[in-house]
Amino acid sequence: MLEVPSDIQKMIDQIPDLKAKFEKASDEEKALMISKMTDVPKQVWVNPHNHVLENLKHGQYESQLMQTDIGFSLYLPPDYEHNGNKRYPVVYFLHGQGCNESSHLDVAEHYDSYLKNGLVDPAILVFVNGGIGTMFTDFYDNSLPVESSFLNELIPYIDEHYRTISDRGGRKLFGFSMGGFGAMKIAFKYPDRFSSVLTYGAALHSLDSFKKSWFRNYQFVFGEKEDYFNLNCPSVVASEYSKNPIRQYPLQIKLVVGDNDLTYEYHRDLVAILIDNKAPFEYVSVEGPSHHLDDYFSVRHHADLQGLVS
Protein backbone atom coordinates (compact mmCIF):
# COMPACT_ATOMS: atom_id res chain seq x y z
CA MET A 1 0.00 0.00 0.00
CA LEU A 2 1.33 3.44 -0.97
CA GLU A 3 2.44 5.59 1.97
CA VAL A 4 1.21 9.17 1.61
CA PRO A 5 3.26 11.94 3.31
CA SER A 6 1.26 13.54 6.12
CA ASP A 7 1.42 17.05 4.65
CA ILE A 8 0.16 15.81 1.28
CA GLN A 9 -2.67 13.89 2.97
CA LYS A 10 -3.71 17.06 4.83
CA MET A 11 -3.84 18.98 1.56
CA ILE A 12 -5.90 16.25 -0.09
CA ASP A 13 -8.31 16.06 2.86
CA GLN A 14 -9.00 19.81 2.60
CA ILE A 15 -10.19 19.55 -1.03
CA PRO A 16 -13.27 17.29 -1.32
CA ASP A 17 -13.08 16.73 -5.10
CA LEU A 18 -9.38 15.88 -4.93
CA LYS A 19 -9.94 13.61 -1.93
CA ALA A 20 -12.66 11.65 -3.76
CA LYS A 21 -10.47 11.29 -6.86
CA PHE A 22 -7.47 10.25 -4.78
CA GLU A 23 -9.40 7.59 -2.88
CA LYS A 24 -10.54 5.96 -6.14
CA ALA A 25 -7.07 6.04 -7.74
CA SER A 26 -4.68 3.11 -8.04
CA ASP A 27 -1.32 3.25 -6.30
CA GLU A 28 0.34 4.21 -9.58
CA GLU A 29 -2.16 7.02 -10.14
CA LYS A 30 -1.73 8.19 -6.56
CA ALA A 31 2.06 8.25 -6.94
CA LEU A 32 1.70 10.40 -10.07
CA MET A 33 -0.67 12.78 -8.27
CA ILE A 34 1.74 13.10 -5.34
CA SER A 35 4.69 13.77 -7.65
CA LYS A 36 2.78 16.61 -9.30
CA MET A 37 2.17 18.09 -5.84
CA THR A 38 5.83 17.88 -4.83
CA ASP A 39 7.82 18.56 -8.02
CA VAL A 40 9.47 21.94 -8.57
CA PRO A 41 6.64 23.90 -10.18
CA LYS A 42 6.71 25.48 -13.61
CA GLN A 43 6.01 29.16 -13.15
CA VAL A 44 3.49 31.03 -15.31
CA TRP A 45 3.89 34.76 -14.75
CA VAL A 46 1.01 36.20 -16.80
CA ASN A 47 -2.51 34.80 -16.20
CA PRO A 48 -5.22 37.05 -17.70
CA HIS A 49 -8.76 36.73 -16.43
CA ASN A 50 -12.16 37.36 -17.99
CA HIS A 51 -13.94 38.39 -14.82
CA VAL A 52 -17.24 40.15 -15.36
CA LEU A 53 -16.69 42.83 -12.69
CA GLU A 54 -16.41 45.99 -14.78
CA ASN A 55 -13.73 47.77 -12.76
CA LEU A 56 -11.52 44.70 -12.33
CA LYS A 57 -8.67 44.79 -14.81
CA HIS A 58 -5.62 42.74 -15.68
CA GLY A 59 -2.22 44.27 -16.39
CA GLN A 60 1.43 43.37 -16.50
CA TYR A 61 4.77 45.01 -15.89
CA GLU A 62 8.17 44.33 -17.34
CA SER A 63 10.39 42.91 -14.62
CA GLN A 64 14.08 43.52 -15.10
CA LEU A 65 14.82 41.51 -11.97
CA MET A 66 12.82 38.47 -13.07
CA GLN A 67 13.62 38.96 -16.78
CA THR A 68 10.01 38.43 -17.79
CA ASP A 69 6.64 40.17 -17.84
CA ILE A 70 4.60 39.60 -14.68
CA GLY A 71 0.84 39.92 -14.47
CA PHE A 72 -1.33 41.53 -11.84
CA SER A 73 -5.05 42.04 -11.41
CA LEU A 74 -6.34 45.40 -10.26
CA TYR A 75 -9.62 46.63 -8.82
CA LEU A 76 -10.45 50.34 -9.03
CA PRO A 77 -13.22 51.89 -6.88
CA PRO A 78 -16.32 52.94 -8.85
CA ASP A 79 -15.59 56.65 -8.31
CA TYR A 80 -11.98 56.41 -9.53
CA GLU A 81 -12.67 57.66 -13.07
CA HIS A 82 -14.96 60.46 -11.89
CA ASN A 83 -12.80 61.84 -9.08
CA GLY A 84 -9.63 62.87 -10.86
CA ASN A 85 -7.90 64.53 -7.92
CA LYS A 86 -8.51 61.85 -5.32
CA ARG A 87 -5.77 59.44 -4.24
CA TYR A 88 -6.49 56.02 -2.79
CA PRO A 89 -4.86 53.57 -0.40
CA VAL A 90 -3.72 50.33 -1.98
CA VAL A 91 -4.28 46.83 -0.65
CA TYR A 92 -1.79 44.31 -2.06
CA PHE A 93 -3.32 40.84 -1.95
CA LEU A 94 -0.85 37.94 -1.80
CA HIS A 95 -2.29 34.62 -2.96
CA GLY A 96 -2.01 31.05 -1.73
CA GLN A 97 0.17 28.15 -2.82
CA GLY A 98 -0.47 27.07 -6.41
CA CYS A 99 -2.40 30.23 -7.26
CA ASN A 100 -1.73 33.44 -9.21
CA GLU A 101 -2.92 36.99 -9.76
CA SER A 102 -6.29 35.81 -11.12
CA SER A 103 -7.09 33.10 -8.57
CA HIS A 104 -8.76 34.97 -5.73
CA LEU A 105 -10.79 37.60 -7.54
CA ASP A 106 -13.84 36.85 -5.40
CA VAL A 107 -12.09 39.13 -2.90
CA ALA A 108 -12.71 42.01 -5.30
CA GLU A 109 -16.36 41.00 -5.66
CA HIS A 110 -16.84 41.01 -1.90
CA TYR A 111 -15.04 44.33 -1.56
CA ASP A 112 -17.05 45.92 -4.38
CA SER A 113 -20.29 44.83 -2.72
CA TYR A 114 -19.17 46.15 0.68
CA LEU A 115 -18.11 49.46 -0.88
CA LYS A 116 -21.37 49.97 -2.76
CA ASN A 117 -23.25 49.34 0.49
CA GLY A 118 -21.16 51.89 2.39
CA LEU A 119 -19.45 49.31 4.59
CA VAL A 120 -15.84 49.97 3.61
CA ASP A 121 -13.79 52.95 2.47
CA PRO A 122 -12.66 53.08 -1.17
CA ALA A 123 -9.29 51.58 -2.00
CA ILE A 124 -7.39 50.13 -4.94
CA LEU A 125 -6.85 46.37 -4.74
CA VAL A 126 -3.83 44.83 -6.45
CA PHE A 127 -3.67 41.05 -6.80
CA VAL A 128 0.00 40.12 -6.96
CA ASN A 129 1.45 37.15 -8.85
CA GLY A 130 4.06 35.68 -6.51
CA GLY A 131 4.42 32.40 -8.38
CA ILE A 132 3.84 28.85 -7.24
CA GLY A 133 5.36 27.79 -3.93
CA THR A 134 7.72 30.78 -3.65
CA MET A 135 6.56 31.98 -0.21
CA PHE A 136 6.86 35.48 -1.77
CA THR A 137 10.59 35.18 -1.12
CA ASP A 138 13.71 35.80 -3.18
CA PHE A 139 15.17 32.38 -4.01
CA TYR A 140 18.40 31.62 -2.18
CA ASP A 141 20.40 31.69 -5.46
CA ASN A 142 18.55 34.80 -6.70
CA SER A 143 17.17 32.83 -9.65
CA LEU A 144 13.70 34.16 -8.81
CA PRO A 145 13.83 37.42 -6.82
CA VAL A 146 10.09 37.38 -6.14
CA GLU A 147 10.05 39.62 -3.07
CA SER A 148 12.39 42.17 -4.64
CA SER A 149 10.31 42.38 -7.81
CA PHE A 150 7.15 42.99 -5.78
CA LEU A 151 8.75 45.69 -3.65
CA ASN A 152 10.97 47.41 -6.17
CA GLU A 153 9.11 46.97 -9.46
CA LEU A 154 5.41 46.28 -9.01
CA ILE A 155 4.75 48.83 -6.25
CA PRO A 156 6.57 51.66 -8.10
CA TYR A 157 4.68 50.69 -11.26
CA ILE A 158 1.32 50.93 -9.48
CA ASP A 159 2.28 54.25 -7.86
CA GLU A 160 3.34 55.64 -11.24
CA HIS A 161 0.29 54.55 -13.22
CA TYR A 162 -2.53 54.98 -10.68
CA ARG A 163 -3.54 57.66 -8.19
CA THR A 164 -2.27 55.98 -5.05
CA ILE A 165 -1.36 57.27 -1.63
CA SER A 166 2.27 56.44 -2.28
CA ASP A 167 3.65 56.25 1.23
CA ARG A 168 3.52 53.63 3.96
CA GLY A 169 0.25 55.04 5.29
CA GLY A 170 -1.43 54.21 2.01
CA ARG A 171 -0.02 50.70 1.58
CA LYS A 172 -1.66 47.61 3.08
CA LEU A 173 -0.95 43.89 2.84
CA PHE A 174 -3.57 41.14 2.81
CA GLY A 175 -2.50 37.51 2.48
CA PHE A 176 -4.03 34.05 2.47
CA SER A 177 -2.16 30.79 3.16
CA MET A 178 1.28 31.10 1.48
CA GLY A 179 0.38 34.74 0.91
CA GLY A 180 -0.16 35.11 4.65
CA PHE A 181 3.41 33.92 5.21
CA GLY A 182 4.56 36.47 2.63
CA ALA A 183 2.41 39.32 3.94
CA MET A 184 3.55 38.95 7.55
CA LYS A 185 7.17 38.46 6.59
CA ILE A 186 7.23 41.49 4.28
CA ALA A 187 5.37 43.71 6.76
CA PHE A 188 7.84 42.93 9.54
CA LYS A 189 10.87 43.26 7.26
CA TYR A 190 9.73 46.56 5.74
CA PRO A 191 7.52 48.42 8.23
CA ASP A 192 8.74 51.67 6.65
CA ARG A 193 6.82 50.72 3.48
CA PHE A 194 3.52 49.38 4.85
CA SER A 195 1.17 50.47 7.62
CA SER A 196 -1.07 47.43 8.13
CA VAL A 197 -1.27 43.72 7.45
CA LEU A 198 -4.18 41.27 7.54
CA THR A 199 -4.01 37.51 7.04
CA TYR A 200 -6.55 34.72 6.70
CA GLY A 201 -5.31 31.19 7.33
CA ALA A 202 -1.66 32.19 7.07
CA ALA A 203 0.86 29.39 6.57
CA LEU A 204 3.09 30.71 9.35
CA HIS A 205 5.57 27.86 9.34
CA SER A 206 8.52 27.52 11.65
CA LEU A 207 11.69 25.99 10.24
CA ASP A 208 10.76 22.53 11.55
CA SER A 209 7.18 22.55 10.30
CA PHE A 210 8.21 23.93 6.91
CA LYS A 211 10.86 21.26 6.40
CA LYS A 212 8.35 18.59 7.37
CA SER A 213 5.42 19.93 5.36
CA TRP A 214 7.02 21.53 2.30
CA PHE A 215 10.48 20.03 1.92
CA ARG A 216 10.55 20.58 -1.85
CA ASN A 217 9.85 24.27 -1.31
CA TYR A 218 12.57 24.29 1.35
CA GLN A 219 14.96 22.96 -1.28
CA PHE A 220 14.15 25.16 -4.26
CA VAL A 221 13.30 28.40 -2.42
CA PHE A 222 15.70 28.29 0.51
CA GLY A 223 18.37 25.91 -0.75
CA GLU A 224 18.03 23.87 2.46
CA LYS A 225 19.77 26.74 4.24
CA GLU A 226 18.41 27.18 7.77
CA ASP A 227 19.88 30.65 8.18
CA TYR A 228 18.25 31.84 4.96
CA PHE A 229 14.88 30.43 5.95
CA ASN A 230 15.10 32.21 9.31
CA LEU A 231 15.87 35.51 7.59
CA ASN A 232 12.46 35.14 5.94
CA CYS A 233 10.48 33.34 8.64
CA PRO A 234 7.59 35.55 9.84
CA SER A 235 8.02 34.72 13.54
CA VAL A 236 11.80 35.29 13.44
CA VAL A 237 11.47 38.57 11.55
CA ALA A 238 8.61 39.62 13.85
CA SER A 239 10.83 39.03 16.86
CA GLU A 240 13.38 41.52 15.54
CA TYR A 241 10.68 44.04 14.65
CA SER A 242 8.84 43.79 17.95
CA LYS A 243 12.01 44.16 20.04
CA ASN A 244 12.55 47.62 18.59
CA PRO A 245 11.88 49.97 21.54
CA ILE A 246 11.40 53.01 19.32
CA ARG A 247 8.74 51.51 17.05
CA GLN A 248 9.27 54.28 14.54
CA TYR A 249 7.01 52.46 12.12
CA PRO A 250 4.08 50.96 14.05
CA LEU A 251 2.16 48.27 12.20
CA GLN A 252 -1.53 47.46 12.46
CA ILE A 253 -1.43 43.66 12.63
CA LYS A 254 -4.38 41.28 12.40
CA LEU A 255 -4.30 37.50 12.10
CA VAL A 256 -7.51 35.55 11.48
CA VAL A 257 -7.57 31.75 11.42
CA GLY A 258 -10.34 29.17 11.42
CA ASP A 259 -10.40 26.47 14.06
CA ASN A 260 -10.70 23.85 11.29
CA ASP A 261 -7.89 25.35 9.20
CA LEU A 262 -4.77 23.22 8.78
CA THR A 263 -2.71 26.38 9.48
CA TYR A 264 -4.25 26.86 12.94
CA GLU A 265 -1.29 25.43 14.87
CA TYR A 266 1.21 27.40 12.79
CA HIS A 267 0.03 30.66 14.39
CA ARG A 268 1.29 29.83 17.87
CA ASP A 269 4.93 30.91 17.50
CA LEU A 270 4.15 34.31 16.00
CA VAL A 271 1.37 35.05 18.47
CA ALA A 272 3.63 34.11 21.41
CA ILE A 273 6.45 36.33 20.13
CA LEU A 274 4.18 39.34 19.69
CA ILE A 275 2.74 38.83 23.18
CA ASP A 276 6.17 38.41 24.78
CA ASN A 277 7.43 41.59 23.16
CA LYS A 278 4.25 43.54 23.90
CA ALA A 279 3.73 44.39 20.24
CA PRO A 280 0.16 45.55 19.52
CA PHE A 281 -1.77 43.09 17.36
CA GLU A 282 -5.14 41.38 17.00
CA TYR A 283 -5.54 37.61 16.80
CA VAL A 284 -8.93 36.15 15.93
CA SER A 285 -9.72 32.43 16.11
CA VAL A 286 -12.89 31.83 14.11
CA GLU A 287 -15.22 28.90 14.56
CA GLY A 288 -15.80 27.01 11.35
CA PRO A 289 -13.47 27.93 8.49
CA SER A 290 -11.18 25.31 7.00
CA HIS A 291 -8.41 26.23 4.54
CA HIS A 292 -10.66 27.92 1.98
CA LEU A 293 -10.79 31.67 1.45
CA ASP A 294 -14.55 31.60 0.82
CA ASP A 295 -15.04 30.07 4.28
CA TYR A 296 -13.55 33.19 5.83
CA PHE A 297 -15.67 35.63 3.83
CA SER A 298 -18.77 33.66 4.78
CA VAL A 299 -18.21 34.49 8.47
CA ARG A 300 -16.02 37.61 8.57
CA HIS A 301 -17.89 39.89 6.12
CA HIS A 302 -16.66 43.51 5.81
CA ALA A 303 -15.13 44.41 9.18
CA ASP A 304 -11.62 43.04 8.56
CA LEU A 305 -11.26 44.85 5.24
CA GLN A 306 -12.60 48.11 6.63
CA GLY A 307 -10.11 47.88 9.47
CA LEU A 308 -7.35 47.29 6.93
CA VAL A 309 -8.03 50.24 4.65
CA SER A 310 -9.30 52.81 7.16
Side-chain angles (χ1 to χ4, degrees), residues 260-279:
N260 290 315
D261 195 314
L262 58 86
T263 68
Y264 187 85
E265 297 298 325
Y266 300 152
H267 285 67
R268 289 187 175 183
D269 286 352
L270 178 56
V271 169
I273 284 168
L274 295 174
I275 291 173
D276 288 347
N277 289 286
K278 298 181 173 58

Side-chain angles (χ1 to χ4, degrees), residues 144-188:
L144 286 181
V146 176
E147 177 188 292
S148 294
S149 181
F150 167 52
L151 291 169
N152 301 321
E153 294 181 320
L154 175 59
I155 290 176
Y157 181 93
I158 297 298
D159 286 341
E160 179 181 352
H161 289 85
Y162 300 94
R163 296 194 313 275
T164 67
I165 299 173
S166 57
D167 57 31
R168 71 177 298 271
R171 292 196 198 106
K172 327 286 183 172
L173 289 165
F174 180 17
F176 170 69
S177 192
M178 179 186 83
F181 179 104
M184 283 293 166
K185 172 201 58 162
I186 290 170
F188 289 126

Side-chain angles (χ1 to χ4, degrees), residues 26-271:
S26 68
D27 280 357
E28 286 186 1
E29 291 170 331
K30 288 178 179 177
L32 180 60
M33 293 169 70
I34 291 170
S35 72
K36 289 180 178 179
M37 298 172 76
T38 56
D39 283 347
V40 176
K42 179 182 178 181
Q43 304 291 351
V44 180
W45 293 110
V46 178
N47 303 272
H49 63 79
N50 56 0
H51 203 284
V52 297
L53 192 61
E54 183 179 357
N55 44 339
L56 183 59
K57 309 174 185 299
H58 186 274
Q60 59 191 60
Y61 66 98
E62 181 182 354
S63 171
Q64 297 296 322
L65 293 172
M66 301 276 281
Q67 299 182 3
T68 188
D69 290 343
I70 300 179
F72 62 88
S73 293
L74 178 130
Y75 167 87
L76 295 173
D79 69 342
Y80 183 89
E81 299 298 338
H82 310 292
N83 209 338
N85 295 319
K86 185 175 181 179
R87 292 190 169 271
Y88 298 82
V90 184
V91 176
Y92 290 93
F93 181 86
L94 309 189
H95 60 73
Q97 162 93 342
C99 298
N100 57 53
E101 77 275 22
S102 296
S103 298
H104 295 305
L105 299 183
D106 286 354
V107 174
E109 283 190 56
H110 289 297
Y111 192 83
D112 188 68
S113 175
Y114 301 153
L115 182 57
K116 289 175 179 176
N117 284 284
L119 300 173
V120 295
D121 294 336
I124 296 170
L125 308 184
V126 177
F127 296 82
V128 181
N129 185 357
I132 298 172
T134 68
M135 312 310 290
F136 287 89
T137 298
D138 291 351
F139 280 28
Y140 73 100
D141 58 1
N142 210 38
S143 59
L144 286 181
V146 176
E147 177 188 292
S148 294
S149 181
F150 167 52
L151 291 169
N152 301 321
E153 294 181 320
L154 175 59
I155 290 176
Y157 181 93
I158 297 298
D159 286 341
E160 179 181 352
H161 289 85
Y162 300 94
R163 296 194 313 275
T164 67
I165 299 173
S166 57
D167 57 31
R168 71 177 298 271
R171 292 196 198 106
K172 327 286 183 172
L173 289 165
F174 180 17
F176 170 69
S177 192
M178 179 186 83
F181 179 104
M184 283 293 166
K185 172 201 58 162
I186 290 170
F188 289 126
K189 285 177 74 173
Y190 307 102
D192 57 326
R193 302 195 193 189
F194 303 92
S195 57
S196 56
V197 55
L198 166 69
T199 59
Y200 283 172
L204 297 172
H205 286 282
S206 66
L207 174 63
D208 288 343
S209 69
F210 193 78
K211 288 166 69 174
K212 180 179 179 181
S213 299
W214 296 107
F215 188 74
R216 290 297 290 132
N217 302 60
Y218 183 58
Q219 290 178 312
F220 66 77
V221 178
F222 301 102
E224 298 183 58
K225 300 177 185 295
E226 293 187 2
D227 288 348
Y228 190 63
F229 178 86
N230 286 329
L231 285 173
N232 292 280
C233 175
S235 59
V236 176
V237 180
S239 180
E240 294 305 311
Y241 163 80
S242 60
K243 286 176 183 176
N244 179 359
I246 301 175
R247 304 260 171 84
Q248 182 179 0
Y249 300 110
L251 283 169
Q252 178 181 302
I253 303 160
K254 188 168 188 177
L255 305 101
V256 180
V257 63
D259 60 0
N260 290 315
D261 195 314
L262 58 86
T263 68
Y264 187 85
E265 297 298 325
Y266 300 152
H267 285 67
R268 289 187 175 183
D269 286 352
L270 178 56
V271 169

Side-chain angles (χ1 to χ4, degrees), residues 5-15 213 262 266:
S6 61
D7 59 307
I8 298 298
Q9 189 63 60
K10 284 182 180 178
M11 287 180 59
I12 292 168
D13 290 343
Q14 289 284 325
I15 306 172
S213 299
L262 58 86
Y266 300 152

Side-chain angles (χ1 to χ4, degrees), residues 98 123 179 187 272 295:
D295 286 1

